[in-house]
Amino acid sequence: MALTHEFSRRRLLAGAAAFGGGLLLPGKAPAYGGAKPFSGVTLNVSTFNAPFARILTKWLPEFEEATGARVVYDTPAFPVYNQRADLELSTGGAAYDVLNITFIYSSRWIGAGWFTPLDDYIRDANRTPADWDVEDFLPGLRAPESDKAGRLYGVPWTVDTFISGASRFDLFKNAGLGLPDTTDELVTALKAVHGKEKVAGFVTDNHYGWTFVPFLQAFGGNVFRNPPDDLTPVLDTPEVVAAAEYFARILKEFGPNGVLSYTEDQALQALQNGRANYSAIGQTYLSQVGGPNSKTASTVAYSPVVRGPAGRFPGVATHGLGIPAASKNKDAAWAFIQWALSKKNTRRAIVEERYASPTRRSDFESAEFKRIATVNGYDLSEIIASAVDLAARQGHMKYRTVPVYPQVDQQLNKAIANIVSGQLSPKQAIEQAQAGSITDLRRAGVAI
């Protein structure tokens, strides 16, 4: 990549010391003796386009100047990235040295042996200083980037958690209510606030394979019998039917007109413009309701996703930087990952760029992150970190990283749409989703 920023090595090292990060660039590692170890190396990196990727792109000249490597950083849109990466990895191509390990593909890509285990790099003092501290990354985010033996393949760089919030919490307070904590309390609250001042009570996005599952699990259901070992779909249970009936009801009775067509962006706009009130959706969207462009920034309130009869099951998704097995520049690739996700740079992203999706516990607990994550008086850092820790303890996100979840995801999308539109009863729609999932999984070679 062409240099766009003038680099000051002294300033960089001084900054590292100030953050207590110690070694941040491989050029200072003992094996390299402070020289530029990767002069002449072209490092090909690709992730999907996202805030942290854009931040790293700005800082690349620093890495290039310190190591001598030239970095070509490609950031296509999310679906394009996944198609390209899957094709490249499945054919054993060596075009990339660092790739994002996408959450929903992590089991497929890691299980197939398409990425390099990072443990040897992390344990090697000549390659990684002790204070780089892999244990600082939240365990719940490292788990999906690891194999069954616990070997780490991707270092988490972003997280999205399923949280709840009310853009017009003033209407809740006028009704004498706080934010709901249970599925029953949510219905009670929506009955009280729906239609007040022409504001719809509830909205979420129409990717129901993501937004419905926390309710499905809260009612005691699951997607597979025992993922990843037993991928038999278990959608046709009374618990899943009850959850589908509940979820479709709050969409149908309390959603805005055309709620089935709402994407994440449209749901966010409805919340920001005060056309919809309560939502359960990813934190990267819901946090923006408290942003400077929102008409409801002064009335928004936040809480964890509601719990049901079986408990609380917030969705958690993460993505990690990894090294393809076929890469010809693995040492340089690890140096890049280590630099990109050093304590110094992850904290710097928060301080200088207001990065809102850190993955290190030390960042979550920092005063700097709490300052930007406190929205209208609500500390989102605690809600997010608690959701990640809960997912790690319960293991309820295992359903989402199995290779065949995308097929079931589509079945759930259709099921909820059919119920809300009145085309099928909850029982009929869920039975159809179960049968369709079994057919799709058998076609994919899953023994059921």
Side-chain angles (χ1 to χ4, degrees):
M1 178 178 179
L3 297 181
T4 56
H5 288 225
E6 187 175 350
F7 174 75
S8 165
R9 184 180 183 84
R10 180 176 299 174
R11 177 185 169 199
L12 177 67
L13 295 177
F19 278 100
L23 177 65
L24 299 173
L25 290 171
K28 290 296 290 181
Y32 304 132
K36 293 183 179 182
F38 302 117
S39 293
V41 172
T42 295
L43 201 59
N44 292 295
V45 179
S46 185
T47 68
F48 60 87
N49 194 352
F52 194 67
R54 293 192 287 274
I55 292 169
L56 288 183
T57 301
K58 288 172 57 178
W59 295 348
L60 281 181
E62 300 176 1
F63 176 80
E64 293 175 320
E65 178 67 19
T67 65
R70 174 177 175 266
V71 179
V72 178
Y73 199 154
D74 182 34
T75 57
F78 186 71
V80 175
Y81 169 79
N82 288 327
Q83 290 176 357
R84 286 182 186 172
D86 194 67
L87 178 62
E88 176 69 13
L89 292 165
S90 63
T91 56
Y96 293 102
D97 302 298
V98 177
L99 283 174
N100 172 66
I101 302 180
T102 302
F103 184 64
I104 57 175
Y105 288 96
S106 59
S107 177
R108 168 178 161 83
W109 292 353
I110 292 172
W114 295 344
F115 276 89
T116 305
L118 301 178
D119 304 75
D120 288 345
Y121 287 94
I122 294 170
R123 285 194 293 263
D124 187 342
N126 289 326
R127 290 173 166 141
T128 308
D131 59 5
W132 188 78
D133 193 7
V134 69
E135 298 297 324
D136 192 35
F137 294 92
L138 293 173
L141 304 183
R142 281 183 278 137
E145 301 289 330
S146 303
D147 64 12
K148 290 183 178 179
R151 290 174 297 190
L152 184 69
Y153 291 78
V155 182
W157 57 271
T158 189
V159 58
D160 192 19
T161 59
F162 201 76
I163 66 174
S164 298
S167 67
R168 290 292 309 274
F169 184 53
D170 55 313
L171 297 180
F172 281 70
K173 290 193 290 187
N174 291 344
L177 299 169
L179 284 175
D181 188 54
T182 68
T183 49
D184 287 343
E185 290 176 6
L186 175 56
V187 171
T188 299
L190 293 178
K191 285 180 178 177
V193 302
H194 177 64
K196 300 292 185 186
E197 300 186 17
K198 299 182 179 179
V199 181
F202 180 81
V203 72
T204 191
D205 84 271
N206 60 4
H207 181 187
Y208 304 122
W210 168 244
T211 55
F212 166 54
V213 176
F215 292 90
L216 179 158
Q217 293 178 319
F219 274 75
N222 210 341
V223 177
F224 302 107
R225 183 174 291 154
N226 184 29
D229 299 319
D230 185 346
L231 298 183
T232 303
V234 289
L235 299 176
D236 59 342
T237 63
E239 291 82 6
V240 176
V241 173
E245 183 173 12
Y246 172 93
F247 189 73
R249 177 191 176 192
I250 60 176
L251 283 171
K252 191 173 183 178
E253 291 188 19
F254 309 118
N257 291 334
V259 67
L260 285 178
S261 67
Y262 273 59
T263 64
E264 287 177 319
D265 286 325
Q266 290 168 318
L268 172 61
Q269 290 172 13
L271 294 163
Q272 288 181 319
N273 291 322
R275 291 187 283 107
N277 197 336
Y278 186 90
S279 186
I281 199 170
Q283 115 254 349
T284 54
Y285 285 87
L286 202 50
S287 63
Q288 297 180 55
V289 181
N293 298 322
S294 173
K295 295 178 181 177
T296 57
S298 64
T299 56
V300 68
Y302 296 94
S303 67
V305 63
V306 293
R307 58 185 169 87
R312 200 184 315 272
F313 297 86
V316 176
T318 188
H319 305 283
L321 295 181
I323 304 173
S327 167
K328 306 298 183 186
N329 299 299
K330 291 184 179 179
D331 282 351
W334 173 243
F336 175 85
I337 294 172
Q338 183 194 149
W339 165 80
L341 295 167
S342 64
K343 284 186 176 179
K344 179 256 183 180
N345 273 345
T346 61
R347 184 65 57 85
R348 180 184 173 194
I350 293 169
V351 174
E352 296 183 6
E353 306 288 343
R354 297 182 63 80
Y355 185 58
S357 298
T359 54
R360 285 182 175 274
R361 189 176 297 282
S362 59
D363 287 332
F364 270 101
E365 295 175 348
S366 69
E368 294 93 337
F369 183 62
K370 286 187 178 296
R371 190 157 46 246
I372 69 168
T374 298
V375 181
N376 201 29
Y378 293 84
D379 184 357
L380 299 189
S381 69
E382 287 192 6
I383 298 175
I384 298 167
S386 296
V388 173
D389 289 341
L390 184 61
R393 290 197 301 274
Q394 297 182 156
H396 61 262
M397 294 305 297
K398 291 179 181 178
Y399 78 91
R400 199 168 182 80
T401 57
V402 302
V404 292
Y405 182 69
Q407 290 95 316
V408 182
D409 179 283
Q410 293 303 313
Q411 295 292 339
L412 290 174
N413 287 340
K414 284 193 297 185
I416 297 301
N418 281 332
I419 301 169
V420 175
S421 64
Q423 296 183 55
L424 294 174
S425 71
K427 190 171 188 299
Q428 289 171 328
I430 291 302
E431 286 177 348
Q432 186 180 80
Q434 170 77 0
S437 297
I438 289 174
T439 299
D440 289 345
L441 267 57
R442 283 177 172 160
R443 190 177 295 136
V446 176
I448 297 173

